Amino acid sequence: MLGYFRPGTSLSAESKRQYRIIYCSLCHSLRNTYGRRAALLLQNDSLFFALQSGFMPPVDEEKVVKKRCVMQPKKVEILASSPEVFEPLADFSLLTVLFAGWDNELDERRGVKSRLFDTLYRRVFTKLGAKLRQRGVSLDGLKRECVKNLELERKEASSPLERLEGFVRFASKLIAEFFPSAGKGERSLEIAREMLKVMYLIDALEDYHSDRRHGDFNVLFGHEGPNLAEYVESGVYSSLEAISLRGKFSTDRCLTEIIDSTFSFVVGRLALAREKYNKGVKDA
């Protein structure tokens, strides 16, 4: 359910450069804090959240320096001396991967790939656990609370959004604690909550028929009928509107273009998910 909030391909050259700067800065932060493998877990969603909530300021050109790319033999631009921004973002990226993994574990999707992932990234998540303990957060306790709320999704409810409420409330509150957004905690909380709804709904519509075939859980099961795609579309647009309204106003042209492009990308992914769902209905 990750990777929905990222800019599209229509950015201007300067906006692309600025997004690469913050992307590469997060990549370096992951590498410096958790090791080179952790950089492979970078999530665009965390960058959008930081931009839209106001946690990340516009790029300060005086702080831009060139460093060797973590993954490729080339130089990239990053923001130096900004640990207060990128260290929490690095933690957030890893937490979102853990949430997705715990969700798969609950569905008993633990094949060879999952076991290999655990082996490759054990040291990364051990370091994350030690770092969270410094904040008074237990990784084991976090998993128990996360799984408890994920289990609530599987219970009968009047609507898919009602099923999601427990996990969305838990995860968004945790995210908002990491990113107080310059004292605007309520803004962070609401943006995180609506982003999670969007990711869940699009992912569920996209995987609806494959989940049905494989016997996996899908939050949309139980909400049957010809209006399922319209229901998802309405929920996604409602959440996107809330994200837009709650976002911190910026006069920076590049940041505004990046955010607008990301909204367009999400809408495009929704259209693809709906097309895939409708094709599955016709083929059934």
Side-chain angles (χ1 to χ4, degrees), residues 45-57 85 89 92 179:
D45 309 285
S46 60
L47 291 175
F48 174 80
F49 172 81
L51 291 170
Q52 184 68 356
S53 66
F55 181 78
M56 181 180 293
V85 173
L89 279 175
F92 178 32
F179 305 99

Side-chain angles (χ1 to χ4, degrees), residues 121-137:
Y121 290 98
R122 184 174 291 115
R123 291 182 64 184
V124 170
F125 291 112
T126 298
K127 288 181 180 179
L128 175 64
K131 196 158 183 241
L132 290 177
R133 283 196 297 274
Q134 295 175 2
R135 302 176 66 108
V137 178

Side-chain angles (χ1 to χ4, degrees), residues 52-67:
Q52 184 68 356
S53 66
F55 181 78
M56 181 180 293
V59 170
D60 183 349
E61 292 291 345
E62 293 185 359
K63 291 184 177 181
V64 176
V65 297
K66 287 195 174 183
K67 293 282 186 179

